[in-house]
């Protein structure tokens, strides 16, 4: 993701207090906790009731991720959450977004200015909940963990010092910024989450206690809580003493309430994530949830003083290459660019029918006016010609970095590459006749070219194409794409790239040059270099490579981009990587927020790995694909 300049808004600062929290020993930490132990905390609980500064209170929160919304739109989206009837905003903090490179200090400017985001939340009169991880899931690449850490082979999300050491260093940078914005210091932050749904992953309670103490020892003295699915298995693994045990769920609130009351009879019922919609994978239907179903479950959560965080209240976008993936039975399920999630506030900020129904359920009188427009303005629809600029391989070579030579192809991690592409080149001699070229372990997708011409695509984890030899050496090039790092489950932290040998029939191909192409780091200058590379084939033939379109705008407004006729690739607007498109759907359009455009001439750059179309369409609404009702259940 190309960086944006900081807007210069100063975060709220106040006098520091000494940490006063301590851990209560407990014979069965997963089932009892007593009352809150954070002395001076704004939020406390007793007798299954939540209190804010001593007065009865209910958290009515909505998930809104600053890293999925353009910074110039943060205030608008926060106001939309307030219009929904919420009193709190919650956000994860993705470590890899702030520190993608180990040798560079974490950044907290521009799009990464967490303090500015939290300050905006407070200025709009809302509380904030921060979920610092270090693991966040969130359908975010690698669950928020940096790939430079997961590549080391340490025991992730455990008390292994190889993991807790780097996390401690990260918390040294992050936690003081949140500490100074706690509500008991004049800021908006009323609670922080300890780890994230750990009971779905493991049962290393020493690690959870370390994580909790890592927050307390760095000055966090507001409410702490854990969050896990509403099953004994998950709550056994994820709960810790002295810490409120919240649940995450999409349905059956009465059953979750009974389970939580049995395990933690003194604690209030808090749903840290209520999944009122769901995310999408490439090649699967667009998941939606009916208004009636979503509001019915919300009503059940709110019964008997329940507190809730609507996940997502506004989903936003997986800009760049930050979308994560799941893996089921050896098949990767990459997440799409849109994170609309069928939320009450749509990807572009539009207030949906679900918004108005939830607003009523949350007790807002329908006569109360909105502070924001129900729908943002959009550019008028139009069609613009795409101009081919460069073939695939010359364009990628022009922006390639960190080339290495090895007997076998180098993995992404060997190249220090988190996301993007790797171009592998070898020169095997192919006997006369037709032969099978096999890629034995592909993570995740590979375009195979012989002497510059495409011969096939291999979708991981393995596959073959045929090549015809003459007895001479060929130039074999394999362009490997990571479709997103797994963000959930035991396969978290898996390596990417061409991980197994390449075979010609039974013989291994050896002697490879591997070139990293960090698409997420490309800006206008690098894109100019890529699009200035040669075009060697006829411009009228369908081909892969780079193309551009010129978009003239009088006044910037939101738009949705579509590429009919193109197959699979990436789109930049004025040097900013919007994300992926793929003809298999379900997502068709890419959301382009108004702040990415400027009055006058704008440049849209397209890289297609297989077949470029001839036009770029601007649309005035999203097309997220054929819908399928989906409700997550435990």
């Amino acid at each position: 993701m190309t960086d944006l300049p900081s807007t210069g808004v100063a975060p709220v600062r106040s006098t520091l207090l000494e940490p006063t929290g301590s851990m209560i020993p407990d014979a069965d930490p997963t089932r009892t906790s007593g009352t809150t132990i954070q002395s001076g905390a704004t939020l406390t609980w007793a007798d299954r009731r939540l209190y804010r500064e001593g007065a009865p209170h209910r958290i009515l929160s909505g998930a809104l991720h600053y890293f999925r919304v353009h910074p110039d739109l943060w205030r608008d989206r926060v106001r939309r959450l307030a219009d929904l009837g919420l009193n709190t905003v919650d956000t994860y903090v993705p470590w890899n977004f702030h520190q993608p490179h180990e040798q560079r200090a974490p950044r907290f400017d521009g799009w990464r200015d967490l303090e500015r985001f939290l300050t905006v939340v407070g200025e709009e009169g809302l509380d904030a909940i921060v979920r610092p991880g270090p693991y966040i899931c969130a359908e975010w690449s690698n669950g928020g963990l940096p790939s430079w850490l997961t590549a080391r082979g340490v025991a992730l999300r455990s008390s292994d010092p190889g993991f807790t050491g780097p996390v401690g260093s990260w918390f040294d940078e992050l936690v003081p910024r949140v500490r100074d914005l706690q509500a008991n210091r004049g800021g908006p932050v009323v609670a922080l989450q300890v780890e994230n749904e750990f009971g779905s992953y493991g049962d290393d309670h020493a690690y959870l206690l370390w994580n909790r103490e890592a927050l307390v020892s760095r000055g966090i003295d507001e409410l702490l809580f854990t969050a896990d699915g509403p099953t004994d298995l998950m709550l056994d693994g994820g709960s810790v003493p002295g810490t409120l045990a919240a649940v995450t769920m999409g349905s059956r609130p009465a059953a979750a309430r009974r389970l939580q009351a049995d395990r933690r009879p003194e604690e209030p019922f808090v749903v840290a994530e209520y999944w009122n919609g769901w995310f999408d994978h490439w090649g699967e239907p667009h998941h939606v949830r009916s208004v009636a179903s979503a509001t019915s479950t919300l009503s059940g959560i709110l019964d008997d003083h329940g507190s809730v965080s609507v996940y997502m209240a506004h989903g936003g976008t997986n800009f760049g290459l930050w979308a994560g993936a799941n893996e089921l039975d050896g098949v990767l399920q990459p997440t799409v660019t849109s994170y609309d999630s069928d939320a009450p506030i749509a990807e572009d900020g539009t207030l949906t029918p679900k918004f108005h129904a939830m607003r009523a359920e949350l007790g807002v009188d329908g006569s109360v006016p909105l502070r924001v427009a129900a729908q943002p303005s959009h550019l008028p629809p139009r069609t613009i010609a795409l101009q081919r600029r460069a073939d695939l391989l010359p364009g990628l070579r022009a922006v390639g970095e960190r080339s290495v030579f090895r007997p076998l192809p180098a993995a992404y991690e060997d190249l220090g590459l988190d996301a993007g592409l790797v171009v592998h080149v070898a020169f095997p001699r192919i006997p006369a006749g037709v032969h099978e070229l096999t890629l034995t372990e592909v993570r995740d997708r590979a375009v195979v070219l012989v002497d510059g011409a495409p011969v096939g695509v291999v979708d991981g984890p393995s596959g073959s194409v045929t090549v015809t030899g003459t007895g001479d050496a060929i130039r074999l090039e394999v362009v490997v794409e990571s479709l997103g790092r797994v963000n959930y489950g035991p396969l978290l932290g898996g390596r990417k790239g061409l991980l197994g040998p390449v075979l010609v029939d039974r013989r291994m191909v050896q002697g490879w040059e591997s070139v990293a192409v960090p698409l997420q780091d490309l800006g206008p200058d690098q894109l100019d270099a890529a699009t200035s590379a040669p075009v060697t084939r006829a411009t009228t033939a369908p081909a892969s490579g780079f193309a551009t379109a010129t978009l003239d705008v009088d006044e910037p407004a939101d738009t949705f981009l579509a590429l009919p006729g193109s197959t699979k690739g990436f789109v930049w607007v004025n040097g900013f990587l919007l994300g992926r498109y793929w003809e298999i759907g379900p997502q068709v359009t890419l959301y382009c927020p108004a702040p990415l455009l400027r009055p006058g001439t704008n440049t849209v750059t397209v890289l297609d790995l297989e077949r470029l179309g001839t036009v770029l369409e601007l649309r005035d609404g999203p097309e997220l694909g054929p819908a399928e009702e989906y409700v997550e259940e435990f």
Side-chain angles (χ1 to χ4, degrees):
M1 182 181 293
T2 304
D3 296 321
L4 298 178
S6 172
T7 57
V9 178
V12 173
R13 295 281 184 181
S14 56
T15 305
L16 304 186
L17 300 179
E18 292 300 317
T20 56
S22 62
M23 290 179 287
I24 294 177
D26 197 306
D28 186 353
T30 71
R31 289 191 174 269
T32 61
S33 66
T35 57
T36 178
I37 62 171
Q38 292 300 101
S39 176
T42 303
L43 296 181
T44 57
W45 80 81
D47 300 325
R48 299 194 60 75
R49 294 295 300 273
L50 193 66
Y51 297 87
R52 192 185 194 283
E53 297 180 331
H57 181 70
R58 176 156 46 192
I59 297 170
L60 301 177
S61 181
L64 168 63
H65 298 157
Y66 63 97
F67 45 93
R68 284 180 160 129
V69 177
H70 191 287
D72 290 356
L73 298 175
W74 285 348
R75 191 175 301 275
D76 173 87
R77 300 308 194 253
V78 170
R79 288 177 175 175
R80 290 173 190 272
L81 263 68
D83 279 344
L84 182 55
L86 303 176
N87 59 26
T88 307
V89 173
D90 86 64
T91 186
Y92 282 120
V93 181
W95 182 4
N96 56 2
F97 184 62
H98 289 269
Q99 192 180 17
H101 305 287
E102 179 182 11
Q103 66 275 20
R104 302 177 195 170
R107 291 182 52 189
F108 292 92
D109 60 343
W111 207 307
R112 298 166 174 84
D113 195 341
L114 173 63
E115 292 159 291
R116 179 192 162 214
F117 174 76
L118 294 173
T119 299
V120 168
V121 171
E123 289 172 349
E124 294 300 322
L126 278 69
D127 289 340
I129 294 173
V130 177
R131 310 170 76 185
Y135 165 77
I136 68 169
C137 186
E139 292 69 59
W140 189 259
S141 177
N142 225 28
L145 298 178
S147 58
W148 54 259
L149 173 61
T150 59
R152 295 179 182 174
V154 302
L156 304 178
R157 304 178 71 190
S158 80
S159 49
D160 180 350
F163 183 69
T164 57
V167 174
S169 297
W170 160 236
F171 276 9
D172 286 341
E173 298 281 349
L174 169 65
V175 175
R177 301 170 188 275
V178 180
R179 173 193 64 202
D180 297 353
L181 289 171
Q182 291 178 105
N184 55 20
R185 290 161 170 77
V189 178
V190 296
L192 283 86
Q193 182 175 296
V194 177
E195 238 275 359
N196 183 57
E197 295 184 317
F198 186 72
S200 302
Y201 184 82
D203 58 6
D204 186 344
H205 288 107
Y207 164 63
L208 281 183
L209 291 172
W210 177 90
N211 190 293
R212 184 189 188 284
E213 183 60 24
L215 299 175
V216 172
S217 65
R218 289 166 174 81
I220 298 302
D221 47 18
E222 289 289 5
L223 176 69
L224 295 175
F225 67 97
T226 57
D228 291 283
T231 71
D232 282 317
L233 178 75
M234 295 178 183
L235 291 167
D236 283 347
S239 302
V240 293
T243 306
L244 178 71
V247 298
T248 60
M249 45 157 282
S251 59
R252 303 176 65 216
R257 189 191 306 271
R258 287 192 298 269
L259 178 64
Q260 190 261 2
D262 175 64
R263 299 176 62 95
R264 298 286 185 100
E266 300 90 358
E267 293 185 5
F269 183 54
V270 178
V271 177
E273 289 186 13
Y274 162 46
W275 307 316
N276 74 106
W278 204 245
F279 56 92
D280 295 338
H281 292 134
W282 289 112
E284 299 178 12
H286 169 48
H287 295 127
V288 299
R289 184 169 182 180
S290 71
V291 171
S293 172
T295 53
S296 174
T297 299
L298 177 61
S299 176
I301 294 170
L302 296 176
D303 286 346
D304 192 25
H305 312 293
S307 289
V308 67
S309 181
V310 177
Y311 192 100
M312 298 292 297
H314 171 62
T317 309
N318 295 313
F319 291 114
L321 303 179
W322 290 112
N326 296 96
E327 188 164 334
L328 180 64
D329 298 329
V331 177
L332 191 78
Q333 299 171 298
T335 301
V336 302
T337 301
S338 172
Y339 202 61
D340 179 86
S341 302
D342 195 34
I345 303 167
E347 184 176 12
D348 67 340
T350 295
L351 307 183
T352 68
K354 188 180 289 185
F355 172 95
H356 296 288
M358 283 191 167
R359 190 175 193 242
E361 192 63 48
L362 291 166
V364 181
D365 190 314
S367 64
V368 175
L370 300 170
R371 289 190 290 172
V372 295
Q375 184 175 27
S377 60
H378 295 105
L379 295 178
R382 70 179 102 162
T383 299
I384 303 171
L386 273 180
Q387 301 295 326
R388 283 200 62 216
R389 298 296 184 188
D391 284 345
L392 176 65
L393 293 172
L396 294 180
R397 291 191 195 106
V399 292
E401 299 179 358
R402 297 188 294 279
S403 174
V404 301
F405 293 85
R406 294 187 177 181
L408 296 177
Y412 276 55
E413 292 75 17
D414 300 329
L415 294 163
L417 185 66
D418 177 66
L421 304 172
V422 176
V423 180
H424 303 282
V425 186
F427 297 89
R429 186 176 300 278
I430 307 296
V434 177
H435 299 270
E436 188 173 69
L437 183 76
T438 301
L439 281 57
T440 60
E441 189 174 356
V442 180
R443 302 290 177 175
D444 299 306
R445 199 166 192 268
V447 177
V448 182
L449 303 99
V450 172
D451 296 330
V455 296
V457 174
V458 174
D459 283 301
S462 63
S464 300
V465 298
T466 57
V467 294
T468 301
T470 62
D472 295 326
I474 63 170
R475 182 182 181 93
L476 173 62
E477 290 169 293
V478 183
V479 180
V480 178
E481 177 188 5
S482 165
L483 295 175
R485 293 181 181 270
V486 170
N487 57 260
Y488 180 81
L491 298 178
L492 181 72
R495 290 164 64 83
K496 292 292 184 177
L498 200 53
L499 304 182
V502 176
L503 306 176
V504 177
D505 296 332
R506 67 178 65 188
R507 190 190 74 204
M508 188 185 307
V509 178
Q510 295 178 306
W512 291 86
E513 179 189 12
S514 300
V515 182
V517 184
L519 298 179
Q520 69 276 29
D521 295 336
L522 303 185
D525 291 344
Q526 293 88 352
L527 292 173
D528 283 346
T531 55
S532 299
V535 175
T536 58
R537 277 192 289 276
T539 57
T540 57
S544 57
F546 288 85
T548 61
T550 299
L551 171 59
D552 292 320
V553 172
D554 293 329
E555 182 176 352
D558 288 355
T559 190
F560 294 87
L561 306 182
L563 289 153
S566 294
T567 300
K568 185 182 191 305
F570 313 87
V571 177
W572 290 261
V573 174
N574 293 327
F576 177 87
L577 181 54
L578 280 186
R580 289 183 174 89
Y581 66 90
W582 197 352
E583 67 175 0
I584 66 172
Q587 181 178 358
V588 174
T589 55
L590 290 173
Y591 171 56
C592 177
L596 293 179
L597 299 173
R598 56 191 176 227
T601 299
N602 298 265
T603 300
V604 178
T605 305
V606 178
L607 164 61
D608 198 294
L609 301 178
E610 297 179 43
R611 184 190 68 242
L612 277 165
T614 59
V615 297
L616 169 72
E617 291 183 353
L618 273 62
R619 301 186 184 179
D620 57 4
E623 184 178 345
L624 298 179
E628 177 181 87
E629 179 83 3
Y630 184 87
V631 178
E632 180 70 4
E633 296 181 346
F634 285 108

